[in-house]
Amino acid sequence: MLDRRLVSNFDWTFIAAVLALMAAGLTAVYSATYSMDGGRHGLFVRQGYWFIAGFAVMLGAVMFDYRRLARWGYVFYGIAVVLLIAVMAVGRSGMGAQRWLPLGPLSFQPSEVAKLALILMLAKFFSEDGVTNGHTLRQLARPLALVMVPVLLVVKQPDLGTGLMMLFIFCGMVVVAGIRVKSFLTLAVTGLLAAPLAWSVFWGHLKDYQKKRILVFLSPDSDPSGAGYHVIQSKIAIGSGALTGKGYLNGTQSQLSFLPERHTDFIFSVVSEEWGFVGSLLLLLLFLFIILWGIETANKAKDRFGAMVAVGIVSMLVFHVVINVGMTLGIMPVVGVPLPLVSYGGTSAMTTLLALGLLFNVNMRRFHLFY
Amino acid sequence: MWYHNSVHGGGEGTADIKRRLWIIVAFVVVSFSALVLRLWYLQVVRGKYYRELSESNRIREVDIRPPRGILYDRNGVIIAANTPSYSVIFTPEDAKDSPGTVEKLGAILGMTTGDIEARIKSERNRNPYKPIRVKENASFEEVSEVEARKDDLPGVIVQVELRRYYPYGEFASHLLGYIGKVTPEQLEKEEYKGLPPDFLIGQYGIERTFDRYIRGEPGKRGVEVDAMGRQVRVIYNTEPAAGQDMVLTLDYKAQKAAEDAMGDQPGAIVAIEPRTGEVLAMTSRPGFDPNIFPLGLTPAEWAYLTQDEGKPLNNRALQGQFPPGSTFKLAMALAGLETGKFASVNGVFCSGGWFFGNRVFHCWKREGHGTVALHKAVVESCDIYFYKLGDLMGIDNIHKYSTYLGLGKQTGVGIREKDGLIPSTEWKQRVRHDKWYPGETLSCAIGQGYISTTPIQLARMVATIANGGTLYQPSVVREIRGRDGKPVASFPPVVLGEAPVKREHLQFIMDAMKGVVEEPGGTAHSAKSEHVTVGGKTGTAQVIGLGKGRGKKYQDHAWFVAVAPVEDPKIAVCVLVEHGGHGGSTSAPLAKKVIEAYLRVDEESLREKAALENITTAGGRPVLKNITGSRWKAALRNMTGIRWKSIMDEAAARKKRAAMKNVTSAAKRARMNNLSSTAKRPSLMNRTSAAKKAAMKNMTGVKARKR
């Protein structure tokens, strides 16, 4: 449990940054859902409850020594895979995908939790495989195979965004765990050569709307009222915010519903429209601070497992932010990736806060001696 | 620090991991920089562009039609006004995600999908977010249903606008004209440049000639819509600027009398104030109701207006060219007097015919007029006398004096008209490349042959004789008033020339005209009035090339020109009844009705006057006896005189301003209430208390002066 020495290691600026991000998120959700359910602010209130619960979970994730989790790495992974299979069997559908598991009056997305399980599993794997001078392809085969199981299950839902996110987290962790330059080049070259083949197979398995999204990303004006609508309206929303924004709750693109998915995937556009370049920049800086703080945590971690957990969580945050914001800015394809702690969504909020708790846990125990 | 292994590092080293962290840092720095640069580009570099896009996303700009200027008669009676009406406006782009909207809207408005699409396509080079009026003058029921099903009808807006309204329908309609949508061709012209594509402009008559004054300026309403095309709120609302009001020269009573007198007979009546050239009444038959034009004509209506053989759109008063028949003898008489040739003809014996050349020229009275001098020749319309006079003077003298009286060329009234024709030897040579034959002069002498005139020319001819020889350009507008009721422009009488003729000659003709109505042998006893001395001249114009007695269609045109009172001329009238037979029996009574109405000596006016006598004064304040409602109103209208008129004008202007205010505020209210209540119609005829008060004041004044 927590002793005084640990408390003295608390980094209050990080807590403040997380709270600031949560406040920004709630503010954004309030605006994005302002004109939605007849002014009852149901989603906003619900997100508030999720945040309270999530913050408790985050504090809970600080209480114990993270090293104890290493033992459970594969177990978490196993549970996640089982849950993903369960989703396929009994999951609830929404927005054209089967992503949710009913949980009493609530429902949650196992794919979100699976990301975290994957991080713990990979952290355990890379911290114990004893390879410090770069992995060979052969050495990476096993973890890749382990990663592909949940990835395929998630893509099958279909949730392309989360699937890609898992692969990106894997890549991030592999890069830090080390990969031989030769292996990397081989992988890159074969990847490039195999791409057309893989593409045709991959393309064939995509749903129509997924194909459309990719095509539209390549040329958004080809279908301005259909699939390109999201991106165009998002760019209009962000651009029209200009330097200082239109003012809180005054975003015409947001409040008049021109912006689709505005409380989830496109919430950054709402913020940008109403707060302008200044507000958007502040939000990005907040993310940047937390991310750099996470990297510093990895740098100071006392053991390989802690460092790899931190790297995994940082990768998760970085890719979520870059892909989500890039998508709203029209420089990334439209894949359903939430902006952590800002997009509406209970499971995502819980997972993110849990991850940040773990990060904090690693950071806090960086000076702690092993007994 | 980065490359320094923790002292507490334990069994496993973390150095290799920490050595590779720069890759993550580099990735974060690069990708975040990319995001910030992109943000900067979208928000700061192109912020203005995207702001405009977001505005056009949410704002639908609808133009609001301005109320056209109100047209008053010379005494302040409103003869063209505006009335609130509902326009249903649709932005197709807002409904593109809701298929079936056009069908649903069509079902409510009683239109087919094709009708609505035709409306949408009718505007060229349309901005995709430009709302289109799909139905004007929608009924209250239709509008209620549209509002009730608002959420089901994305992109549909209801707007209250003021629509042109002619309270008396087919009343001076050829003179007032009508309005219609500006055509693409008209939009190219300087006069109409910059108007909204479905703007209504005057397309005929006064509405067209004076359009630039009465048009007004459209307002603009910015309506915010959401992504579903549903109206959220009004963002800005520039009220349209009402057009300027005009006081016409028309006299409501005279015009009404002309309309009633004409009935359904084809023909025309024109009345002119001889001392100013102001047109007091102008009607043409068959006519039309100008109210139907801005609503969009049905194919049947359009076919009737353009293809009916009666040519309802043709203003016969200005564009009908007919031989003047015996009314031309007035001009002949003037020429005879001026040239002195009448002296040689006086005493001629009319036996009913005259052998000239190789044929017999008949008098209309086959048994003959006996010995005839000029006065009798006019009064009894003896053809033989004028044959001989014409033969003695020659066509060029006839041309000269007719021209002094304004015949044979357009009067310059400002509305499309025709020239008519007064021939001369020069004309014959120039146009027909032939010399003039003396026999042709004889036909012309009795207003037949080559001669043709328009009704307004004949009315002005009489006016010119009556006023002592001043040829006025007929006018239809007295004054243009700004929205504050103050005059912006006035139209004083325009003198085109003074006929170089002797006054006593004109007086001679006036006496003869009086004789036509009053003397035993006169041809127009039916024009005689108990209340006023009427002078006139009948005319019966042969329908050329057609035999007689073969049905109504082949009957002669019946003319009558008149002036009254003879001793102090105040009105000159010309009546034409096509195929009406004899001028004396058919047309003269109509002229009399118009004259009596204008001079307020018709039966209705006399009744009203008698009613006014019942007003006595008690303690210096007027007291009303036995007068209620409509009789009171009628009594007020009856009052004449300069002072009265100016008070009336002022009262009318005040009343109009009040009415305007009412209309706009009613329209506003209606918009605010989401059209839950019927918008008030402005009372057009109803005299307001202000007018009543003014009338009271005036009456006490009259009484005081009498005492």
Side-chain angles (χ1 to χ4, degrees):
Chain A
M1 289 304 287
L2 287 174
D3 60 29
R4 257 189 220 92
R5 274 187 302 165
L6 283 177
V7 175
S8 68
N9 288 340
F10 259 45
D11 187 340
W12 295 104
T13 56
F14 176 75
I15 301 284
V18 172
L19 284 172
L21 192 57
M22 288 166 75
L26 269 183
T27 310
V29 167
Y30 183 79
S31 172
T33 60
Y34 187 66
S35 50
M36 265 183 187
D37 54 354
R40 288 193 305 275
H41 312 302
L43 293 179
F44 166 73
V45 171
R46 219 195 270 185
Q47 183 77 347
Y49 288 139
W50 277 115
F51 272 6
I52 292 169
F55 198 71
V57 166
M58 178 176 139
L59 293 180
V62 172
M63 299 294 179
F64 56 89
D65 191 326
Y66 65 88
R67 269 184 56 85
R68 288 203 222 160
L69 291 174
R71 245 195 301 162
W72 298 91
Y74 292 103
V75 176
F76 290 136
Y77 171 79
I79 293 172
V81 170
V82 168
L83 284 175
L84 286 174
I85 292 168
V87 166
M88 299 204 68
V90 297
R92 212 161 52 84
S93 298
M95 304 209 246
Q98 204 162 354
R99 291 177 192 171
W100 283 270
L101 261 189
L103 198 78
L106 306 168
S107 57
F108 90 116
Q109 275 179 281
S111 54
E112 288 292 321
V113 185
K115 283 186 281 193
L116 220 47
L118 208 61
I119 289 171
L120 292 176
M121 184 273 285
L122 288 171
K124 181 175 170 59
F125 180 87
F126 287 123
S127 64
E128 291 175 359
D129 68 352
V131 183
T132 54
N133 55 346
H135 292 76
T136 61
L137 287 179
R138 182 190 292 261
Q139 287 164 331
L140 286 177
R142 224 179 96 206
L144 181 62
L146 286 172
V147 167
M148 285 314 283
V149 175
V151 166
L152 290 175
L153 284 171
V154 167
V155 170
K156 191 85 184 134
Q157 283 182 355
D159 185 350
L160 191 61
T162 308
L164 280 173
M165 204 52 61
M166 289 172 169
L167 282 177
F168 285 139
I169 291 168
F170 174 69
C171 293
M173 292 177 78
V174 164
V175 163
V176 179
I179 178 167
R180 298 250 172 107
V181 176
K182 206 176 117 194
S183 306
F184 180 79
L185 290 177
T186 318
L187 208 59
V189 171
T190 37
L192 279 176
L193 291 178
L197 180 72
W199 179 254
S200 57
V201 174
F202 176 67
W203 187 250
H205 280 91
L206 286 179
K207 303 265 174 191
D208 278 348
Y209 84 93
Q210 291 173 320
K211 289 183 192 173
K212 217 168 183 182
R213 280 178 175 181
I214 290 170
L215 287 178
V216 162
F217 168 64
L218 298 173
S219 166
D221 297 326
S222 62
D223 185 12
S225 64
Y229 182 80
H230 288 53
V231 181
I232 291 172
Q233 295 299 341
S234 172
K235 278 160 74 177
I236 293 174
I238 295 172
S240 64
L243 191 63
T244 52
K246 293 177 184 167
Y248 189 52
L249 300 181
N250 285 331
T252 56
Q253 289 285 104
S254 320
Q255 304 304 337
L256 298 171
S257 313
F258 289 102
L259 200 56
E261 316 273 340
R262 61 184 186 281
H263 63 303
T264 55
D265 290 355
F266 285 91
I267 198 154
F268 184 77
S269 318
V270 177
V271 175
S272 286
E273 184 185 22
E274 297 186 344
W275 299 93
F277 180 72
V278 174
S280 315
L281 193 65
L282 280 176
L283 185 61
L284 286 181
L285 286 176
L286 210 48
F287 274 115
L288 190 64
F289 174 80
I290 291 172
I291 285 164
L292 292 178
W293 190 90
I295 294 173
E296 179 66 7
T297 300
N299 189 43
K300 286 180 179 160
K302 67 193 174 199
D303 62 344
R304 292 182 72 87
F305 177 70
M308 286 313 292
V309 166
V311 167
I313 289 169
V314 164
S315 299
M316 182 175 91
L317 287 174
V318 169
F319 286 116
H320 267 101
V321 173
V322 170
I323 290 182
N324 177 280
V325 174
M327 166 185 85
T328 64
L329 291 170
I331 52 176
M332 291 274 173
V334 178
V335 286
V337 172
L339 188 61
L341 294 185
V342 182
S343 290
Y344 172 81
T347 323
S348 165
M350 293 287 266
T351 312
T352 308
L353 287 167
L354 181 58
L356 292 174
L358 290 178
L359 196 59
F360 196 71
N361 194 335
V362 175
N363 183 281
M364 194 173 67
R365 289 185 168 80
R366 62 188 185 274
F367 305 117
H368 200 52
L369 289 168
F370 291 103
Y371 300 104
Chain B
M1 183 92 149
W2 271 54
Y3 301 102
H4 176 69
N5 207 346
S6 166
V7 284
H8 310 295
E12 317 139 312
T14 53
D16 65 304
I17 290 177
K18 291 172 182 176
R19 206 176 60 228
R20 298 186 195 104
L21 280 176
W22 70 268
I23 303 174
I24 301 276
V25 174
F27 180 81
V28 168
V29 168
V30 169
S31 54
F32 269 65
S33 303
L35 294 182
V36 171
L37 279 175
R38 177 68 172 177
L39 261 180
W40 174 265
Y41 173 74
L42 288 183
Q43 299 197 290
V44 181
V45 179
R46 306 210 65 191
K48 222 177 138 191
Y49 165 77
Y50 283 111
R51 184 63 68 97
E52 275 165 23
L53 282 187
S54 81
E55 291 297 281
S56 66
N57 243 355
R58 71 173 178 129
I59 297 174
R60 301 287 171 272
E61 191 173 273
V62 192
D63 49 84
I64 313 171
R65 288 177 177 163
R68 287 178 74 79
I70 293 176
L71 306 184
Y72 297 95
D73 93 329
R74 60 199 290 121
N75 297 318
V77 177
I78 292 174
I79 52 181
N82 300 288
T83 183
S85 87
Y86 299 114
S87 291
V88 178
I89 296 171
F90 177 53
T91 311
E93 267 62 21
D94 285 339
K96 62 177 185 285
D97 294 331
S98 316
T101 304
V102 171
E103 286 78 4
K104 279 182 234 161
L105 186 61
I108 296 172
L109 300 179
M111 299 169 82
T112 66
T113 315
D115 291 341
I116 294 178
E117 268 157 15
R119 282 273 189 149
I120 294 165
K121 280 181 192 134
S122 68
E123 282 188 27
R124 295 183 199 170
N125 306 328
R126 211 173 59 84
N127 160 0
Y129 291 112
K130 174 88 175 51
I132 304 276
R133 280 181 180 73
V134 291
K135 180 146 190 178
E136 279 129 347
N137 205 40
S139 73
F140 183 68
E141 287 70 30
E142 289 166 344
V143 167
S144 310
E145 198 172 346
V146 167
E147 286 291 325
R149 295 176 58 186
K150 213 174 169 184
D151 289 347
D152 207 20
L153 295 168
V156 179
I157 295 171
V158 173
Q159 183 162 290
V160 180
E161 293 179 295
L162 289 171
R163 169 173 65 78
R164 191 50 139 181
Y165 176 62
Y166 304 91
Y168 305 109
E170 189 177 331
F171 177 91
S173 40
H174 292 91
L175 179 62
L176 300 182
Y178 57 80
I179 60 170
K181 281 200 178 128
V182 63
T183 64
E185 293 74 35
Q186 284 169 326
L187 274 177
E188 304 282 310
K189 289 183 191 160
E190 194 54 48
E191 195 189 344
Y192 300 111
K193 242 176 205 159
L195 292 177
D198 67 344
F199 199 72
L200 296 169
I201 59 164
Q203 297 286 17
Y204 189 73
I206 287 175
E207 295 275 24
R208 177 184 192 144
T209 305
F210 296 90
D211 187 64
R212 83 195 79 118
Y213 300 108
I214 39 186
R215 182 194 299 159
E217 276 172 40
K220 275 182 187 349
R221 192 155 72 115
V223 176
E224 186 177 75
V225 295
D226 65 12
M228 302 293 118
R230 285 174 307 216
Q231 189 175 346
V232 178
R233 64 192 167 114
V234 174
I235 299 178
Y236 55 84
N237 201 356
T238 323
E239 291 290 340
Q244 294 170 334
D245 298 340
M246 297 208 304
V247 180
L248 304 185
T249 59
L250 281 189
D251 179 77
Y252 169 80
K253 280 214 136 186
Q255 181 69 34
K256 178 81 167 44
E259 300 286 348
D260 293 347
M262 210 63 203
D264 288 333
Q265 305 172 90
I269 295 178
V270 182
I272 285 180
E273 153 69 70
R275 287 166 307 192
T276 57
E278 292 174 343
V279 174
L280 301 170
M282 183 186 290
T283 185
S284 174
R285 285 289 189 282
F288 56 87
D289 179 354
N291 283 311
I292 65 176
F293 287 87
L295 306 182
L297 296 174
T298 65
E301 285 168 340
W302 182 243
Y304 165 71
L305 289 170
T306 54
Q307 283 154 37
D308 188 81
E309 66 175 325
K311 294 185 180 155
L313 286 182
N314 187 20
N315 186 353
R316 287 160 161 76
L318 301 180
Q319 291 154 22
Q321 302 177 99
F322 304 89
S326 298
T327 59
F328 190 66
K329 286 170 185 165
L330 298 177
M332 286 296 294
L334 179 64
L337 289 163
E338 286 290 320
T339 55
K341 299 292 186 195
F342 78 101
S344 322
V345 187
N346 273 358
V348 70
F349 187 82
C350 169
S351 60
W354 184 40
F355 195 78
F356 183 86
N358 53 0
R359 58 168 278 207
V360 177
F361 283 79
H362 286 288
C363 185
W364 65 271
K365 196 172 179 183
R366 291 301 161 104
E367 63 270 32
H369 287 98
T371 309
V372 183
L374 182 53
H375 183 84
K376 184 181 173 185
V378 173
V379 169
E380 300 186 14
S381 201
C382 176
D383 290 340
I384 303 298
Y385 183 95
F386 286 101
Y387 288 145
K388 293 202 166 169
L389 182 61
D391 184 44
L392 267 180
M393 292 191 298
I395 188 66
D396 287 336
N397 271 323
I398 297 173
H399 176 268
K400 180 177 163 190
Y401 290 98
S402 307
T403 306
Y404 286 154
L405 296 175
L407 300 182
K409 61 172 184 282
Q410 295 188 15
T411 62
V413 67
I415 297 169
R416 208 154 63 98
E417 59 178 328
K418 290 275 168 66
D419 279 315
L421 176 66
I422 301 297
S424 65
T425 51
E426 182 271 333
W427 169 83
K428 184 84 187 286
Q429 195 60 48
R430 177 166 50 85
V431 177
R432 296 287 170 99
H433 308 293
D434 200 355
K435 71 181 180 83
W436 186 267
Y437 297 100
E440 294 172 329
T441 309
L442 267 57
S443 301
C444 289
I446 58 160
Q448 297 287 156
Y450 293 119
I451 291 188
S452 73
T453 56
T454 60
I456 194 173
Q457 285 173 1
L458 289 184
R460 185 176 60 169
M461 172 185 80
V462 176
T464 307
I465 292 168
N467 70 24
T470 307
L471 187 69
Y472 286 102
Q473 177 177 295
S475 59
V476 293
V477 177
R478 300 192 104 188
E479 190 177 282
I480 293 174
R481 291 177 180 171
R483 276 183 293 158
D484 53 1
K486 285 184 184 137
V488 176
S490 56
F491 297 84
V494 175
V495 176
L496 298 175
E498 293 287 341
V501 296
K502 287 210 177 82
R503 283 233 153 200
E504 57 262 38
H505 291 161
L506 296 172
Q507 195 51 53
F508 181 94
I509 296 168
M510 289 293 282
D511 287 343
M513 285 170 75
K514 185 178 172 189
V516 169
V517 176
E518 299 200 339
E519 288 173 22
T523 52
H525 292 161
S526 55
K528 189 166 163 57
S529 164
E530 290 173 47
H531 309 288
V532 61
T533 47
V534 178
K537 181 72 196 83
T538 56
T540 303
Q542 283 165 23
V543 176
I544 300 159
L546 297 167
K548 294 196 176 197
R550 284 195 275 156
K552 178 92 178 157
K553 204 176 156 187
Y554 305 101
Q555 278 192 20
D556 296 338
H557 298 320
W559 285 106
F560 188 68
V561 294
V563 61
V566 173
E567 55 283 359
D568 178 22
K570 288 196 170 94
I571 179 171
V573 187
C574 171
V575 177
L576 165 72
V577 178
E578 280 181 40
H579 311 296
H582 292 283
S585 53
T586 307
S587 297
L590 311 191
K592 177 180 132 185
K593 282 180 187 164
V594 175
I595 288 168
E596 289 189 339
Y598 178 65
L599 298 176
R600 307 295 193 260
V601 292
D602 58 323
E603 278 178 29
E604 191 195 337
S605 302
L606 292 176
R607 263 203 316 276
E608 288 160 358
K609 221 172 246 174
L612 265 187
E613 294 300 311
N614 286 337
I615 303 172
T616 58
T617 54
R621 300 187 61 183
V623 176
L624 291 182
K625 262 193 206 167
N626 306 330
I627 291 187
T628 50
S630 62
R631 292 179 69 197
W632 168 236
K633 282 182 229 158
L636 287 174
R637 271 207 301 276
N638 179 48
M639 305 288 287
T640 51
I642 295 298
R643 172 133 186 271
W644 166 246
K645 190 152 57 65
S646 70
I647 290 170
M648 276 302 293
D649 286 353
E650 198 191 314
R654 213 179 315 148
K655 176 183 149 226
K656 179 234 140 194
R657 280 197 296 277
M660 268 304 303
K661 217 181 270 171
N662 262 342
V663 170
T664 44
S665 63
K668 243 184 230 165
R669 259 202 312 281
R671 279 201 290 271
M672 283 184 169
N673 296 346
N674 259 340
L675 309 168
S676 57
S677 64
T678 330
K680 247 192 213 162
R681 283 175 154 246
S683 54
L684 298 166
M685 278 302 290
N686 204 10
R687 297 278 161 190
T688 62
S689 55
K692 226 176 240 177
K693 253 180 246 159
M696 297 258 210
K697 233 186 270 166
N698 189 47
M699 256 173 270
T700 45
V702 169
K703 290 280 171 189
R705 260 186 276 124
K706 268 185 186 164
R707 267 185 273 133

